[in-house]
Amino acid sequence: MLTKSKFLAGDVCPKRLWLSENRPELAAPASEAEKRRAEQGRTVTELAREYFPSGVLISAVDSSAAIAETKEAIANGATVLFEAAFSTSDVLARADIIEKTPAGWHLIEVKSSGSVKKEHLPDVAFQLYAAEEAGFRVSCASVMVVNKEFTRHSAVELFRLEDKTEEAQSLRRDIQQKVPALNMLLKEQNEPFVQIGSYCTADPGCEFKDYCWRNLPKDSVCTIPGLLWKKKEPLIERGIIDLRDIPADFSLNDRQRAYVKAVLSGKPQVDKKGIKEHLLALTYPIYFFDIETDACAIPRYDDIHPHQKFPFQFSCHILQEDGTIKHREFLHTEDSDPRPAFIDALLSTIGDTGSVVAYHASFEGSELTKLASASPEYAPRFQSIVGRLWDEEAIFLKHYTHPDFGGRTSIKVVLPVLVSGLSYKGLGIQDGDTASAAWNRMVTCRNPAKKERLAADLKEYCKLDTLAMVEIYRHLKQVI
Ligand code: SF4
C-alpha cells in the first residue's frame, strides 16, 4: 500500500519507489547531517504539538492498530489528534496534526523549514487525498512552519500556519491518477528502467544515487562543471555519457571547455597569467582562515533566529613573508553561546594588516558581516577583515582545472590532487555538515573521554582546512 513517503519517492522517480520497496539495502546510509535534520524535525514536531494542549497522540506504530486507535479516539470525543492514521485500499497516511472545526477537519503538516517549499505541496495534498478518501471531511489543509522572525525574547510566535487548501485541492486529481500506477509499480518483479536525470541530484538528493550511477565512466558528462541538466539530459538520452564523445560543436562555456580539454589531453589546464595576477593581490602576513558554523531550527541562544548560522570554531595559519608559519585555533566546547568567545579569539588572531585567505570566501565574508552587525563595537575590525578577504577557490573556478578534479573545485577534491600526502580521508570528520553535528554532540556530551575525542576530531578537521590552503598556495607559487 502506498504511504506518503512512497508516493513522494515515486512521484519524483518510479525507480526510487521500486528500490525503496524491493531493494532498500541499496540506499546509502543516512549521513550525520541527515540524522541531525531528522532529529531536528522530531523536535519541531513535538514543539508544534504544544500549541494544541488537548491533542491526543496516536501512539501505535503498526498501521492497523493506529487506524483503530484513531477511530477510538475520535469516538471518545478527541478533537485534536497527533499522528492520526487513515487508509483506503490504496493509500495509508498519518497526519502530523488534525483538528476538528465546525466546518470539518483541519489537516496540518509540520515542517522544520522557515518557509513553505514547493515540495511540501504534494506532501500535504497526499494527506488531504488520503483523509478524504478515508471518509474525513477536510475543511482546510495547512503547513505549519517555523517562523523566521522568532527570537527567544520577541513577541513573535515560534510557528506560523500557511493555508494551502487551494493548492492541495488542485493537486488532488493528479494524485488520484498516479496512485493506481504507483501501487502497481510496487508489485513489479523487475526493477524499472529510468535514465539518470535532474531528479537524482535535486535537493536533498536520492539515497540510491551511488547504486544508479555506479556504471558511469569516471569522466562522464555529469562531471562537466556547471553544465545544466537541460543540456546533459539530451546527451544522456542519445547515449553520450563519456565526455570524450561530446560532439565538437556542443556549446560549452570557457570553464567547461577548459575542463573537457584537461580530460581529453590528460593534462591540467593552467592560466599562469591569471593565477599570477590573482596572487599579486596578496599581502603579508597572510592569514589562511576557515570558520565552522551551526544552525538550528529552534534557536538555542538569545537574538538568534531559527536556522540562523552562528560560528563555533575557526582555524588560522599565519604565513609571514620570511616563510615562518604559526597556527591559531578556537573551538567553543561548552553548551553556551559561542559568539562572544569566538569574537575575542578571532580579533586577537587576525591583525589589522595582511590578506585573509579563505576557500569559498563569500561564506566567511557573510558570517563576519553578520557578526559585525550583531556587535557594532567591533564592526570596523570585522569590516576590515572582510575587506581583506581573498578567495583561493576563485583560482580553480577561473584559472586552473585538472582532469582529476572531476569538474569540482572543493578543497576536499583539489587538495589530494595537488598536494601529495595530504587528504581528508581517514579523518574522524570529513565535511562541514558532519562537523556541525559533531559539535552539537560534543557540547552536550557528559562523557569526558568522548567529548575530548570529538573536540580533537573537530580541531583536526578545521586545521586541515587551513593547512590545505597553505599547501595549495605554495603549489600555486611553484606553478606560475
Ligand atoms: S538515483 Fe536517480 S534514477 Fe536512481 S532511483 Fe534515484 S532518482 Fe531514480
Side-chain angles (χ1 to χ4, degrees), residues 218-219 242-244 257-270 400-406 417-418:
K218 174 177 163 280
D219 303 316
D242 194 308
L243 64 71
R244 290 170 188 83
R257 226 184 340 268
Y259 172 66
V260 171
K261 196 172 169 191
V263 171
L264 294 179
S265 66
K267 291 183 186 143
Q269 298 298 303
V270 185
Y400 193 156
T401 189
H402 192 291
D404 292 337
F405 287 170
V417 175
L418 300 188

Side-chain angles (χ1 to χ4, degrees), residues 374-396:
S375 352
E377 68 272 38
Y378 302 120
R381 301 262 331 257
F382 283 122
Q383 282 154 3
S384 159
I385 295 170
V386 172
R388 288 179 283 138
L389 277 171
W390 184 95
D391 191 0
E392 194 169 73
E393 187 186 29
I395 299 264
F396 300 100

Side-chain angles (χ1 to χ4, degrees), residues 178-242:
K178 285 173 177 167
V179 162
L182 293 177
N183 261 319
M184 298 251 291
L185 182 63
L186 279 177
K187 295 176 202 138
E188 285 286 335
Q189 291 292 311
N190 299 319
E191 181 183 311
F193 173 77
V194 177
Q195 192 65 268
I196 63 166
S198 55
Y199 31 84
C200 301
T201 52
D203 189 34
C206 177
E207 63 277 26
F208 296 105
K209 182 166 170 274
D210 287 350
Y211 168 69
C212 294
W213 289 42
R214 69 195 181 285
N215 293 326
L216 285 192
K218 174 177 163 280
D219 303 316
S220 80
V221 294
C222 294
T223 65
I224 300 175
L227 189 65
L228 298 176
W229 275 106
K230 70 178 182 196
K231 292 185 79 176
K232 275 188 287 217
E233 278 170 346
L235 287 173
I236 293 167
E237 273 160 28
R238 287 165 61 195
I240 299 172
I241 311 288
D242 194 308

Side-chain angles (χ1 to χ4, degrees), residues 1 23 171 249 313 327 368:
M1 195 188 294
R23 302 290 310 276
L171 289 171
D249 60 353
Q313 178 180 19
H327 179 241
L368 295 175

Side-chain angles (χ1 to χ4, degrees), residues 37 41 52 61 76 94 101 103 121 128 197 206 229 243 282 304 311 377 391 422 426 432 459 470:
R37 267 196 293 278
F52 301 88
V61 177
N76 288 338
R94 294 194 76 159
T101 72
L121 299 179
L128 174 105
C206 177
W229 275 106
L243 64 71
L282 287 173
I304 289 237
E377 68 272 38
D391 191 0
L422 269 189
K459 284 180 180 173
V470 174

Side-chain angles (χ1 to χ4, degrees), residues 56 82 94 301:
V56 174
F82 307 137
R94 294 194 76 159
Y301 315 118

